[in-house]
Structure formats: structure tokens, C-alpha cells
Amino acid sequence: MPNALVRKLEGYAPLDASDRERLLDVCEKTVVIEADRYITRIGDSPKDVVVILEGFAVRSKLLRDGRRQIFAFLVPGDFCDLHVAVLDQMDHDILSMMPCRVAQISRDAVREMTETRPKLAKALWWCTLVDEAILREWLVNLGQRDAEQRIAHLFCELHTRLHAIGLTTDGSFSLPITQNELGDTMGLSAVHVNRSLRSLRDAGLVSFRGRVIQIPDVERLQHFADFDPSYLHLRHGPAAESPVPLLRQA
Amino acid sequence: MPNALVRKLEGYAPLDASDRERLLDVCEKTVVIEADRYITRIGDSPKDVVVILEGFAVRSKLLRDGRRQIFAFLVPGDFCDLHVAVLDQMDHDILSMMPCRVAQISRDAVREMTETRPKLAKALWWCTLVDEAILREWLVNLGQRDAEQRIAHLFCELHTRLHAIGLTTDGSFSLPITQNELGDTMGLSAVHVNRSLRSLRDAGLVSFRGRVIQIPDVERLQHFADFDPSYLHLRHGPAAESPVPLLRQA
DNA sequence: CGAGGAATTGAGAAACTTCAACCGTGGTGG
DNA sequence: CCACCACGGTTGAAGTTTCTCAATTCCTCG
């Protein structure tokens, strides 16, 4: 099984063999987290940095009045809280959407890696900057696009990111999300999400089979959503060699 | 005149004297940019990293249909494009909102600093992470709050950030922004921004004198906007010693 | 004084929300 | 094995927020 983290980082910049080994070493200690559990919570100062190796999770924040905003989907290879190595305190929650296998890297290990391995440091920085670029694009999404385009844009992004780690087949990928969560992501009510999904389906832009999203014509959806993948800063085109497996749904 | 960058970084983590000197050294070369000019543009690979020393700027992105989203206000001490030292290509524009004095730091100097000065590297990383935290909070803002709360929240954030660099007096600060730009920031039409501003003023939450925003009761506005400054990760309370001066408006 | 950009206002339309009901499915306990 | 329950999805209808268009005023600058 390929290591999702190594794979992702190598997609950004070449690493030394010793860097690669250090990463694998540091991902040795893995844990399985069941669905719908907090991985870290706001205010935590976790002693380890968590990397998703299998499964999906979300970053989110709960408001006083019970509303919730999701601001990122975490897929295999993504860091949950690299922040904490620098900022000490989490300013949002991270929740598993399905059973996840994660690696826990000690803060000391992160510090050691960033302080003594410039290439790794650069790769981690790259991750952070891509996360930031994604946030900016989501802001464009919420600020400027209507419900249908917003949702379509999210699907395009997820398709591209999942394709890059081999988690798509043709235009389809598995996404274990409720319409409610989709609403919390898009700043829409669940009802309106439902109607927008129907419109997208009626327009033949996407279709759904259980929790699988199927995009019959990726280019058409991208055009509809005004999606331009350059903000994802992928170095080379999506590589689909050996997929990172998902854990079986519990 | 204190250096806004040094001041900001020291607000995050203590620096060595030699780090501080290196920073001052590297900010030696400054340039004044007039109002409403591109500082960098999407697709650019600027050879220098730009830091705002005086004045305000915005990050923004233009959509195909002419709509625009602003996703950050840059104030003295903020980096325009630290990204570029790692990602090579800008994925958005940066525009001056008023005459700005900026320092241009070569990519090599940034690389040298991050690779040989761990404390500085950490401080720069801190900057990036705070930028990211602000983006997340803006996402909450656009996704979950109505027009009035959104605008109030932005004012609270700017007040806090500007207070931290000594650019407020009592509850007031200068903000050279049009209602149109405010709309592009908040995902609202200029007309609706206008009406929302009127409501806020009628409620006595803020008032305007020219381009100066006055918050009569900061706590009340913060409560109204559901504003919690912890996402800004300021280490110590706002320090108001010697303000960073603004250039006279052109 | 005139020009141009920004702010303001009104009115009608579109997007989105809320509430409430109903359906389908999968899991659980008897 | 079946009744029941809970949760997510679906739909209708009415209400609210926000948008667009268009006209008017205000301000600043030349």
C-alpha cells in the first residue's frame, strides 16, 4: 500500500530518499478512527500532528446559535492540524466522515523535519499554501456563485483532488456526505441543496448512486461551474497508478 | 519609524537580535506604489516577495463574467505573496487601495532566511497560518451570517488587526474602501451593502465620517457580529506604542 | 461650474429559507 | 420475522433576504 502522504508530497516537489524514509518511518504509528468522531477539537493543543491515510474528514466550526460551517474536506495525504506545530491551539474542529486510518506524528518530529530537512519543510509549506488557495477558491464560491454552480464547483474540486490520488473511476467517486453537511459546506439550507442537486441531475451534469457521485462529462461540469484547477497547484497531471484504498464502511 | 514587519513577527514569537537585523536589512529597499495599482497579478512569478510597510491593499480574483471576490485586506506588516517563494505562480491579484510603501525581498533572501533561521521560518509560517485562519473565518462569515452581521464582523476584525499595529484611535480607524469593494468582499451587491450600512448606523453600532469608521461600543459590535478574536492568534493584547504611519492620501 | 464616481433610494424579481409533511430505508428489539 | 423507529431525502407553500435595474443625489476634483 502506497503511503498517501509521501505520494502527495512527491506530487509537489522531489524529496530525498532519506526524507521519504523519514516520512514512512514517522507514519508508522497508525490508528483507525470510526465515523463521525472528533479527530481534534477547537481549543485542543494536540501533542501529535495527524495525517489522514485512508478515509475522509472535514474541518468545521460551530457557531453559538448551532449553525455550522465546514471549510475543508480532508482526503488521504492531507494534514489535519499542521498548524498546531506552530500555532499551539486549534481554532476549529476536525471530524471524521467515515472510518479513517490516520498517522500521528509528534510535534517534535515535525519540528525536527522542518528545521533540518529543507526539502521536506518546503513540501509541508506547499501543503499549507495549497490549503490556503483552496480556502480562497471556496470564498469565491460562496461569495460569487449561486447554489447550483457552488455545488458543481465543489464536485469538480473533489473529483480533481481524488483523481490525483487514484480515488476516482471514470468520472465517479465515493463521497460519504449528507445533504445537510453539503449545506453546511456551501452556506445553504439542506432543502435548497436538495433542489439544487435535483436541478444538476435533471441537467445531466451529475448523477448519484448511493453515496457515489458520477460525472458523465467532466469538462461540461467544469465549464458549468467555471472551474479552473490551477488553484490546486498540482505539479503534474493526475496520476492514477495505485489507488489509496478506503477502509470498508463500518 | 518602527518596521511594521518586525513588529508583527515579534508579536508572534521572539526573534534573535540577528534575525531582527536581517529583517530590517532586507526591508531596506522600499518603493511607493500609488493607489489602485496591481502589486502583483494572477499568473505572475514575481522575483521578489512584497511586504506592505504602509498603506492597505487587497487580495482579489476576477471571474470570467466580471464579478470579483476580495479575500483579504493587507495591512502594514502583511506579506503580499510569500506563497510565491514556494508555489512559483500567483493564483490571484493584489491591488493597492491607497498609496502604499512596500519592501521587496528577493526570493533568495526569503529562502536563505527560512532555511537557515528557524525562528524566522517559524514566524513566517505563523503569518501564513494566521492568514489561513482569517480565510476560514471569512468563510464562516459568508456561509453563515447575514449581510449586517457579515459587515459588522469585518469591521471587528479590521479594528482588532489595526489596533494591534497602532492604527486605531479610540474605536475608530481609517478604511479607504468603497461600498462596491465592500460588496465584492462580502459577496453582496453594492446596493445591499449600502442598506446594511444604514441599518448598522441606525442601530448605533457604527458610524462613518468620510473614510473613517467609528465604533462607539466595540464590545457591543463584537457581540452583534458574534466576533471572537481568537482566530487571529495574537500573542499578547494589542500594543499601541508607536503607530505605523499611513502615507498621506494622494 | 461641470464631470465622474460614489452613495442613496424605490420597486419589482430572483434566490434562498423555513416550516411542515411525507417517503424510503436500514437497523433494532421483541 | 416483523413492527417500529430514526434518519436522511423529497416536496410544497409561504416568507425573507438579497439582487437587479434605474433614477437621483452627493461629493470631490479639475
Side-chain angles (χ1 to χ4, degrees):
Chain A
M1 179 190 80
N3 179 291
L5 176 59
V6 172
R7 185 156 162 182
K8 176 175 158 185
L9 296 186
E10 299 227 284
Y12 292 152
L15 299 176
D16 296 335
S18 88
D19 290 343
R20 201 161 28 238
E21 247 171 71
R22 182 86 181 94
L23 274 177
L24 287 173
D25 193 45
V26 114
C27 288
E28 195 56 16
K29 186 173 140 204
T30 73
V31 172
V32 173
I33 295 176
E34 41 184 332
D36 299 312
R37 289 274 177 274
Y38 283 103
I39 295 177
T40 54
R41 304 191 65 159
I42 192 167
D44 282 1
S45 307
K47 66 181 208 314
D48 295 330
V49 170
V50 175
V51 182
I52 308 267
L53 295 179
E54 303 169 33
F56 295 144
V58 295
R59 294 182 193 284
S60 68
K61 196 168 188 172
L62 216 50
L63 302 196
R64 275 200 312 231
D65 62 6
R67 285 165 177 268
R68 178 170 77 138
Q69 178 69 39
I70 291 174
F71 23 66
F73 287 102
L74 301 175
V75 305
D78 288 345
F79 283 96
C80 290
D81 44 17
L82 199 44
H83 324 71
V84 170
V86 177
L87 289 184
D88 287 319
Q89 267 219 351
M90 286 297 290
D91 56 19
H92 60 275
D93 297 318
I94 298 183
L95 268 160
S96 62
M97 300 171 73
M98 57 185 296
C100 293
R101 179 179 298 280
V102 306
Q104 298 172 311
I105 308 178
S106 75
R107 284 162 79 151
D108 284 342
V110 174
R111 184 165 13 251
E112 178 265 323
M113 287 193 289
T114 55
E115 288 184 359
T116 67
R117 296 169 183 273
K119 285 186 183 171
L120 258 186
K122 183 171 175 177
L124 298 191
W125 206 347
W126 189 297
C127 291
T128 304
L129 293 177
V130 169
D131 285 352
E132 202 182 305
I134 292 176
L135 281 172
R136 280 193 294 269
E137 197 64 30
W138 282 35
L139 215 49
V140 174
N141 220 14
L142 291 203
Q144 305 299 331
R145 296 197 253 259
D146 68 16
E148 288 175 39
Q149 267 198 313
R150 251 182 243 186
I151 295 172
H153 195 280
L154 176 68
F155 288 169
C156 287
E157 178 187 304
L158 286 174
H159 176 262
T160 303
R161 287 170 60 194
L162 293 176
H163 190 40
I165 53 174
L167 282 180
T168 61
T169 35
D170 304 316
S172 76
F173 56 92
S174 160
L175 183 69
I177 195 179
T178 66
Q179 294 184 359
N180 220 313
E181 292 169 315
L182 208 43
D184 288 344
T185 307
M186 292 295 157
L188 299 168
S189 68
V191 172
H192 199 59
V193 165
N194 182 291
R195 293 194 229 267
S196 304
L197 286 175
R198 155 164 299 282
S199 298
L200 289 174
R201 175 169 23 191
D202 289 350
L205 287 164
V206 293
S207 62
F208 314 95
R209 295 193 320 272
R211 288 285 157 84
V212 173
I213 293 179
Q214 166 85 37
I215 306 174
D217 181 342
V218 173
E219 284 208 9
R220 195 158 78 91
L221 189 67
Q222 292 185 346
H223 184 264
F224 173 81
D226 192 23
F227 176 80
D228 172 352
S230 55
Y231 71 94
L232 294 172
H233 293 276
L234 296 168
R235 198 179 46 153
H236 27 246
E241 329 110 38
S242 38
V244 178
L246 292 178
L247 293 179
R248 221 176 337 269
Q249 186 90 28
Chain B
M1 180 188 81
N3 179 290
L5 176 59
V6 172
R7 186 156 162 181
K8 176 176 158 185
L9 296 187
E10 299 227 285
Y12 291 152
L15 298 177
D16 296 336
S18 88
D19 290 343
R20 201 162 27 238
E21 247 172 69
R22 183 85 180 94
L23 275 177
L24 287 174
D25 194 45
V26 114
C27 287
E28 194 57 15
K29 186 174 139 204
T30 72
V31 172
V32 173
I33 295 176
E34 40 184 332
D36 299 312
R37 290 276 177 271
Y38 283 102
I39 295 177
T40 54
R41 304 191 65 157
I42 192 166
D44 282 0
S45 306
K47 66 181 209 312
D48 295 329
V49 171
V50 175
V51 182
I52 308 267
L53 296 180
E54 303 169 34
F56 295 144
V58 295
R59 295 182 193 284
S60 69
K61 197 169 186 171
L62 217 50
L63 301 197
R64 275 200 311 231
D65 61 6
R67 286 164 175 267
R68 177 171 78 137
Q69 178 68 39
I70 290 174
F71 22 66
F73 287 103
L74 301 175
V75 305
D78 288 345
F79 283 95
C80 289
D81 44 16
L82 200 44
H83 324 71
V84 169
V86 176
L87 289 185
D88 287 319
Q89 267 219 350
M90 287 298 290
D91 57 17
H92 61 274
D93 297 317
I94 297 183
L95 267 161
S96 61
M97 300 171 72
M98 57 186 294
C100 293
R101 178 179 298 281
V102 305
Q104 297 171 311
I105 308 177
S106 75
R107 284 162 80 152
D108 283 343
V110 173
R111 185 165 13 251
E112 179 264 325
M113 287 194 288
T114 55
E115 288 183 0
T116 67
R117 296 169 182 273
K119 285 185 183 171
L120 257 187
K122 182 170 176 177
L124 298 191
W125 205 347
W126 189 297
C127 290
T128 304
L129 294 177
V130 169
D131 285 351
E132 201 181 307
I134 292 176
L135 282 171
R136 280 194 294 269
E137 197 63 30
W138 282 35
L139 216 48
V140 174
N141 220 15
L142 290 204
Q144 304 300 331
R145 295 196 252 259
D146 68 15
E148 289 175 38
Q149 267 198 312
R150 251 183 243 186
I151 295 172
H153 195 281
L154 176 68
F155 288 169
C156 288
E157 178 188 303
L158 287 174
H159 176 262
T160 303
R161 286 170 61 195
L162 293 176
H163 190 40
I165 53 174
L167 284 181
T168 60
T169 35
D170 303 316
S172 77
F173 56 93
S174 161
L175 184 68
I177 195 180
T178 66
Q179 294 184 0
N180 221 314
E181 292 170 314
L182 208 42
D184 289 344
T185 307
M186 292 297 160
L188 298 168
S189 67
V191 172
H192 199 59
V193 166
N194 183 290
R195 293 194 229 267
S196 304
L197 286 175
R198 155 164 299 281
S199 299
L200 289 173
R201 176 170 20 193
D202 289 350
L205 288 165
V206 293
S207 63
F208 314 96
R209 294 194 320 272
R211 287 286 156 83
V212 173
I213 293 178
Q214 165 84 37
I215 306 174
D217 182 341
V218 173
E219 284 208 9
R220 195 158 79 91
L221 189 66
Q222 292 186 347
H223 184 264
F224 174 80
D226 193 24
F227 176 81
D228 172 353
S230 55
Y231 70 95
L232 294 171
H233 293 277
L234 295 168
R235 197 178 49 152
H236 27 246
E241 331 110 38
S242 38
V244 179
L246 291 179
L247 292 179
R248 221 177 336 269
Q249 185 88 26

